[in-house]
Amino acid sequence: MTRVIRCGQLIDGTGADPVDDMTIVVDDDGIIVEVGRNVSPPAGATVTDASGYTVLPGLIDCHVHLVTLAGRTLAERLATPYSLGVAEGYLNAGKMLRAGFTTVRDLSGMPLGGKMALDRGLFPGPHLKIAVAALSQTAGHGDQTTLSGVCTQVPDPEHPLTVVDGADQVRRAARELLRAGADQIKIYTSGGVMSDHGGPGTVGFSPEEVAAAVQVAHTAGKPVAAHAISAGGIRLAVEAGVDSIEHGMFLDDDTIAEMVRRGTYLVPTLLAPVWIRRRAERQPGSVPSHMLAKVETVVEAHTDSFRRAVQAGVRIAFGTDTGVVPHGFGAEELELMVRYGMTPMAALVSATKTAAELTGVAGQTGTLTVGKRADLLIVAGDPLADITLPARPDAIRGVAKSGVFHVEEM
């Protein structure tokens, strides 16, 4: 069914100035076939009157975990079957879609079968790219062996073992991830916050190990995302040729310059430590004290690194670490990005056009232009004047994925 959307204000995601009184025409396949003024609706078209609202591309989150047990105690995590976690992942996907996220990049957790279920429309959710799991060294951020020696990783045929040491093991595990359906390879090149091992200042893997992961992924035409917090871990990943730095909390100026030179993306996830603190306050005991202590060591450096990266011209792609952040609440990241140095338009472009480029879907989505999917978000008000609007459920009036509306409250 052809659909016509009357826009009060159109922000097309390209970075161009907003335009009033535009009309978008979407064909039966959910593809935009016309954008302009004074467009007459084709015979029989369904008309969505958003003339009192702002229409912009659906948001793209480059760092989520749809399958997550964050916020649960160790006992609760051990008592949760993996299949239940995947089922909850479908509910989380629906929450994200209804919040305006029409494409997400799952950076470990969701298996291929889960992606296939969403792709086939068995459950409502965003378009999805998956990493399946993430490569970690022994005693690295992804090693799920607790301090008591008990490993909480659940054996599952859809998830290859990804705690590996040495270039040969890294190479094999990366290939097994590709076989398991990974759209990108994720690797931990530093420690982190929400783990028992490897603090934020540590470095993960050797240059040879990281190079092996990059070589396997790039040979297969897949990008590499590096969880990298420490200055050394970020530098290691950038020099190895990864495509994106996730978090990037301790960026130094030399590495920032190298990221600009190479075109390496930064996915800042400013919201993640904010929500770890909130969860600790709201759910006492849900965040172990040693993890909460690590949060306090990164917050100030995180925002300072982001400011300097923006000023230097690093390519910023929107990402939240949703899963740590509750599903459906990720648009609050836009407010933080503006607070710490981006213009509202630049923040919106990072969550649409730039995020689509990093995710490898720029040919299909990310801008509301002819030939792209009609993935769009409709909000009451002007997000360029109030960047908090996309994060407010009361402001969301419409969400469409490939031209099909999942929220329509005009």
Side-chain angles (χ1 to χ4, degrees):
M1 178 186 300
T2 301
R3 184 181 284 264
V4 170
I5 301 149
R6 304 287 195 194
C7 310
Q9 174 177 252
L10 174 65
I11 299 173
D12 68 8
T14 66
D17 290 339
V19 183
D20 294 337
D21 302 321
M22 299 292 280
T23 296
I24 300 171
V25 181
V26 182
D27 69 12
D28 294 350
D29 297 319
I31 303 299
I32 297 170
V33 293
E34 188 174 2
V35 180
R37 281 200 175 98
N38 303 318
V39 174
S40 298
T46 298
V47 177
T48 295
D49 184 7
S51 58
Y53 307 115
T54 297
V55 180
L56 60 153
L59 302 178
I60 300 173
D61 194 328
C62 295
H63 192 129
V64 310
H65 303 281
L66 294 174
V67 179
T68 179
L69 299 179
R72 299 182 185 180
T73 66
L74 176 59
E76 290 170 333
R77 294 198 300 271
L78 290 172
T80 303
Y82 180 71
S83 55
L84 176 59
V86 174
E88 291 173 344
Y90 299 138
L91 296 179
N92 294 334
K95 291 176 183 177
M96 294 206 70
L97 179 59
R98 290 189 295 275
F101 291 91
T102 53
T103 301
V104 301
R105 193 173 67 143
D106 188 289
L107 284 187
S108 76
M110 183 63 79
L112 178 60
K115 177 188 175 183
M116 293 171 68
L118 291 172
D119 286 346
R120 295 180 183 184
L122 301 182
F123 305 94
H127 301 287
L128 185 61
K129 295 288 187 179
I130 60 172
V132 180
L135 299 175
S136 171
Q137 69 188 59
T138 297
H141 184 57
D143 187 342
Q144 297 182 46
T145 303
T146 66
L147 297 177
S148 68
V150 175
C151 182
T152 62
Q153 183 175 5
V154 179
D156 182 271
E158 290 190 83
H159 278 82
L161 292 175
T162 51
V163 177
V164 289
D165 299 288
D168 287 343
Q169 287 189 11
V170 169
R171 193 174 290 112
R172 180 178 182 86
R175 288 171 176 159
E176 289 177 344
L177 286 170
L178 294 175
R179 183 177 64 189
D183 298 302
Q184 61 262 321
I185 297 297
K186 181 183 179 183
I187 186 167
Y188 295 112
T189 64
S190 81
V193 172
M194 299 299 286
S195 64
D196 287 327
H197 309 289
T202 62
V203 175
F205 286 122
S206 67
E208 294 76 19
E209 289 168 322
V210 182
V214 172
Q215 186 270 332
V216 169
H218 286 181
T219 297
K222 307 291 186 181
V224 180
H227 161 109
I229 291 178
S230 68
I234 299 168
R235 188 179 310 112
L236 170 65
V238 171
E239 291 177 349
V242 305
D243 298 274
S244 65
I245 296 295
E246 311 296 313
H247 315 302
M249 293 175 175
F250 290 95
L251 285 165
D252 60 52
D253 290 340
D254 288 344
T255 303
I256 287 174
E258 187 65 10
M259 291 176 70
V260 172
R261 188 183 74 81
R262 290 173 176 261
T264 311
Y265 292 85
L266 174 64
V267 181
T269 68
L270 296 168
L271 198 51
V274 172
W275 267 102
I276 294 172
R277 281 173 158 176
R278 288 176 182 171
R279 179 172 284 119
E281 293 169 358
R282 298 175 185 182
Q283 300 172 260
S286 62
V287 182
S289 59
H290 66 281
M291 295 181 186
L292 190 58
K294 288 194 282 186
V295 171
E296 301 307 320
T297 68
V298 303
V299 172
E300 184 175 346
H302 196 185
T303 54
D304 178 64
S305 289
F306 177 75
R307 281 193 185 99
R308 288 184 290 110
V310 170
Q311 291 168 359
V314 173
R315 291 199 285 184
I316 308 293
F318 180 97
T320 62
D321 210 357
T322 283
V324 173
V325 177
H327 298 88
F329 288 79
E332 187 184 353
E333 179 87 8
L334 293 167
E335 179 184 355
L336 297 182
M337 296 171 89
V338 171
R339 183 184 305 171
Y340 298 123
M342 295 187 89
T343 66
M345 179 63 84
L348 291 174
V349 170
S350 80
T352 53
K353 179 179 181 288
T354 306
E357 291 167 349
L358 172 57
T359 309
V361 294
Q364 294 83 49
T365 192
T367 61
L368 294 179
T369 51
V370 171
K372 302 290 182 71
R373 294 191 302 243
D375 298 334
L376 56 86
L377 170 63
I378 302 171
V379 297
D382 180 3
L384 296 177
D386 182 358
I387 197 62
T388 70
L389 290 174
R392 289 170 40 189
D394 64 309
I396 294 179
R397 291 292 181 265
V399 179
K401 173 189 173 187
S402 296
V404 176
F405 275 82
H406 295 265
V407 176
E408 192 169 11
E409 298 176 0
M410 303 302 162

